Amino acid sequence: MKKYLGIILLTFITISCKGQSNSNVERNVGGPCQDCEAVLDFKMLNITPKATDTLPGFEKNEPKVKITGTVFQKDGKTPAENIVLYIYHTDRNGIYQPSEKPISWEKTHGQYRGWLNTGKDGKFTFYTFRPAPYPKVQEAEHIHIYVKEPNTIPYYIDSYFFESDSKLTTEKRKSQKNRGGSGIVKLKKENGIWTANRNLILGMNIPDYE
Ligand SMILES: [Fe+2]
């Protein structure tokens, strides 16, 4: 009897472990993205992302901006917890300027980047400055944002664009995929800082999400 009990127990443990490892599998969503793994740089840099972050260069650059939002599950109502967001943008010359000793993806994305992690209420805030359009290419100024959910690979959503940007043409607006919802925000001056809110809906217009 003891022998059978052992076999039963072993089978149970094997099934349990298998079940557990399956739930940890990262779903492949969002389509191709060459640099989305940059989201994971926070681990290498020993950064613990929080619900609020101030990007490097905030103090020295103008105009300063504050971006707020709530991450919701696909239903658009339930706040999403433990969602890592990665943001990066150019300097005031439109260049992704790395620091003197760039580490990992900073070489490509520049030094003005940061990470957030949502709490139970799904809310996040980041402080930074307005980037500038690329110097030689006709492109509106923008802030990139990528997402890492606990059970997905990192993927990108629509960048932040600014309503007041003259380079944000009708054509450009129409070409947006609205991944995670529209990224076009309107800045309003609140307490002396240009502020905008954009809520994110997980899975919205994200390929292979379901
Ligand atoms: Fe860009």
Side-chain angles (χ1 to χ4, degrees):
M1 188 60 189
K2 260 189 181 172
K3 194 171 95 181
Y4 291 118
L5 270 177
I7 291 168
I8 291 166
L9 193 65
L10 193 67
T11 311
F12 178 73
I13 291 168
T14 309
I15 291 169
S16 304
C17 291
K18 216 176 168 189
Q20 204 171 34
S21 63
N22 277 348
S23 69
N24 287 336
V25 167
E26 293 185 337
R27 293 189 294 128
N28 200 347
V29 301
C33 180
Q34 287 183 334
D35 61 354
C36 282
E37 65 180 45
V39 178
L40 306 174
D41 271 3
F42 73 90
K43 295 181 182 176
M44 186 193 303
L45 296 165
N46 285 321
I47 290 170
T48 306
K50 300 190 177 73
T52 299
D53 190 41
T54 301
L55 269 64
F58 174 73
E59 295 298 336
K60 288 184 184 167
N61 290 278
E62 298 286 348
K64 299 183 198 308
V65 295
K66 174 187 179 183
I67 310 276
T68 61
T70 303
V71 184
F72 291 106
Q73 299 288 359
K74 189 130 196 263
D75 63 9
K77 293 175 187 169
T78 313
E81 186 182 6
N82 202 19
I83 306 300
V84 174
L85 304 173
Y86 169 67
I87 45 218
Y88 71 95
H89 61 77
T90 66
D91 64 9
R92 290 294 298 157
N93 296 313
I95 308 285
Y96 291 106
Q97 187 68 56
S99 62
E100 279 179 13
K101 288 182 183 170
I103 294 170
S104 194
W105 280 95
E106 189 194 323
K107 290 167 196 155
T108 314
H109 290 175
Q111 60 188 294
Y112 304 115
R113 58 188 198 141
W115 291 264
L116 298 153
N117 191 12
T118 58
K120 277 205 172 74
D121 61 4
K123 289 185 188 299
F124 66 90
T125 301
F126 65 91
Y127 294 86
T128 189
F129 58 92
R130 253 181 105 150
Y134 299 150
K136 289 176 185 165
V137 189
Q138 215 30 33
E139 169 74 319
E141 59 188 285
H142 56 279
I143 299 174
H144 289 277
I145 174 164
Y146 298 173
V147 177
K148 169 77 179 79
E149 301 181 37
N151 293 321
T152 69
I153 61 163
Y155 60 92
Y156 69 92
I157 59 175
D158 271 25
S159 297
Y160 288 90
F161 288 95
F162 303 101
E163 272 286 355
S164 55
D165 184 356
S166 58
K167 285 198 163 67
L168 186 60
T169 58
T170 309
E171 201 180 12
K172 180 75 187 170
R173 287 169 197 261
K174 282 185 182 164
S175 70
Q176 296 305 299
K177 299 276 190 287
N178 291 329
R179 289 171 63 121
S182 171
I184 302 169
V185 295
K186 202 171 185 176
L187 291 166
K188 275 190 211 161
K189 206 146 199 186
E190 286 178 13
N191 301 320
I193 185 164
W194 291 102
T195 305
N197 183 78
R198 170 200 183 186
N199 294 335
L200 312 177
I201 299 176
L202 297 176
M204 182 182 261
N205 301 317
I206 302 298
D208 308 317
Y209 196 80
E210 283 180 331

